[in-house]
Amino acid sequence: MTENNKSDHYTQIIVGSGAAGLTAAIYSSRSALEPVVFEGGMPGGQLTTTSEVENFPGFENGILGPRLMEEMKKQALSFGARFLQKEVERADFSGGSLELTAGGERYIADSVIVATGARPRFLGLEGEKQYLGRGVSTCATCDAFFYRGKKVVVVGGGDSAMEETSYISKFASSVLLVHRRDELRASRIMQDRVLNNPKIKIAWNTVVEEILGSVEKGVEAVRLKNVKTGETVTEPTDGFFLAIGHIPNTEVFKGQLWMDRQGYLLVGEGTATSVPGVFAAGDVVDHRYRQAVTAAGMGCMASLDAEKYLNEKG
Ligand code: NAP
């Protein structure tokens, strides 16, 4: 127990506070598992960067993403869940106990629910980091407002890109959607909203080669290349929005939990990961549906799976 003297011991630690983590916290606290939620670097998760959520059941007129997460947290708190503003730096599940290090301190748990979500993908261009927050954005709902009456370029061809492009068009004077292929991946209804919007133009078979700007003004233009013809053009723009998918937040679990080539956690029966007592839920597992409601559903599943595991373990 000498090691344990330096550690806090919990029945359950939930890592992450998005829709999956918070739903797990609601269920686990109602089941008297006394969960502790490590909120991570972005409390509330990705829904805190969206505006109106129209498809979460129970809200006829929609609900703001941050409000929805706030309500979920309050619901978990009301049943006794505890929240720590900590980010997990290290996980060690190798020695028969479930150990996490967060904020330099060690924690031991009887069960862990990983609900760390995913983060936006970048193209890998130098200008992305250089101009992030100065013309480059990964969140239309957070930043579109700043582009009222301005020109904006969005990159991507999935549902996120459609959603963001449509949203930005409410503010910007014009939006150019840049997509690397000649067909969109997005669902028909979301495509149609973009294709029928007179403010939006699409550059097909086109990639972004460079983000151009200056220290004083931030982003000023992007250099685009048509991959079919090889032709390049410089497109003046005030903003550049990335909407090309996400990367799962699983770095700290590398070597500890089985994951696929993209880094998404692999689950077997229900939400069980490769380590007994560790369960996973939400976008950290799911690269297919990625909906608030599916993440919440998985959070519920993970809590029930963890409860069963703990009961069987006695
Ligand atoms: P996604 O479906 O993976 O689409 C990513 C898009 O970015 C694709 O069009 C892809 O091009 C493009 N892309 C990826 N890497 C690129 C690169 N390096 N350079 C240029 N383009 C690149 O991601 P998502 O749009 O974020 O959606 C993820 C999931 O969430 C989907 O299941 C989606 O249905 C769901 N979602 C649903 C809603 C909704 O229903 N309200 C809203 C948002 C997202 P290719 O097509 O050529 O691969």
Side-chain angles (χ1 to χ4, degrees):
M1 277 306 270
T2 47
E3 290 268 296
N4 281 11
N5 289 341
K6 292 183 216 149
S7 318
D8 285 330
H9 192 136
Y10 296 113
T11 307
Q12 184 168 91
I13 292 177
I14 297 170
V15 190
S17 57
L22 292 179
T23 306
I26 292 166
Y27 272 76
S28 292
S29 49
R30 281 193 84 236
S31 304
L33 298 180
E34 299 177 340
V36 173
V37 182
F38 289 1
E39 291 191 278
M42 195 186 195
Q46 289 189 79
L47 274 173
T48 58
T49 68
T50 64
S51 57
E52 201 73 22
V53 179
E54 292 174 333
N55 50 13
F56 198 87
F59 300 96
E60 186 190 359
N61 300 314
I63 182 167
L64 290 174
R67 175 85 200 283
L68 178 61
M69 304 321 291
E70 230 175 83
E71 294 295 328
M72 282 191 198
K73 180 173 175 177
K74 281 198 257 174
Q75 199 174 347
L77 282 166
S78 75
F79 294 120
R82 281 177 292 163
F83 287 78
L84 296 180
Q85 282 191 353
K86 297 217 176 218
E87 204 163 343
V88 172
E89 291 129 22
R90 193 167 167 266
D92 185 359
F93 304 145
S94 61
S97 66
L98 307 177
E99 294 187 16
L100 296 169
T101 307
E105 286 169 39
R106 271 178 71 233
Y107 298 86
I108 294 180
D110 298 326
S111 67
V112 171
I113 294 176
V114 180
T116 46
R119 62 183 185 277
R121 186 184 294 283
F122 285 84
L123 289 168
L125 301 173
E126 212 175 289
E128 287 171 320
K129 297 266 150 71
Q130 195 179 347
Y131 298 118
L132 192 63
R134 304 189 57 242
V136 172
S137 171
T138 59
C139 177
T141 43
C142 316
D143 299 330
F145 179 80
F146 301 116
Y147 295 91
R148 196 176 284 274
K150 294 186 174 176
K151 285 181 76 167
V152 169
V153 169
V154 181
V155 65
D159 281 334
S160 297
M162 300 309 111
E163 202 169 67
E164 308 232 329
T165 304
S166 298
Y167 185 72
I168 295 164
S169 74
K170 294 179 188 171
F171 302 89
S173 58
S174 67
V175 189
L176 178 68
L177 176 64
V178 174
H179 183 42
R180 62 184 176 184
R181 292 190 293 133
D182 59 4
E183 62 177 335
L184 297 167
R185 177 182 294 272
S187 54
R188 193 74 245 171
I189 184 169
M190 311 266 283
Q191 284 194 32
D192 287 347
R193 278 183 200 159
V194 165
L195 295 167
N196 296 326
N197 185 326
K199 271 188 170 179
I200 303 169
K201 296 226 162 4
I202 304 185
W204 300 102
N205 300 308
T206 301
V207 293
V208 181
E209 281 199 326
E210 197 179 353
I211 301 164
L212 306 161
S214 63
V215 181
E216 305 79 42
K217 292 187 181 163
V219 171
E220 290 174 303
V222 285
R223 199 174 69 241
L224 304 176
K225 180 181 178 183
N226 184 306
V227 291
K228 287 268 162 74
T229 63
E231 187 193 346
T232 60
V233 291
T234 297
E235 180 74 28
T237 188
D238 302 296
F240 177 64
F241 283 74
L242 288 140
I244 59 168
H246 292 82
I247 299 169
N249 296 317
T250 51
E251 283 79 2
V252 294
F253 301 104
K254 280 214 168 97
Q256 302 294 320
L257 298 174
W258 289 358
M259 43 187 86
D260 69 11
R261 277 195 307 180
Q262 289 175 286
Y264 286 93
L265 295 185
L266 294 173
V267 289
E269 199 187 325
T271 58
T273 68
S274 51
V275 172
V278 181
F279 303 86
D283 287 9
V284 74
V285 178
D286 168 27
H287 42 83
R288 183 164 176 193
Y289 302 104
R290 290 179 190 273
Q291 301 300 297
V293 67
T294 51
M298 287 180 78
C300 155
M301 288 159 64
S303 170
L304 297 178
D305 289 344
E307 188 184 3
K308 185 165 179 282
Y309 164 83
L310 291 166
N311 284 342
E312 283 171 3
K313 213 177 143 215

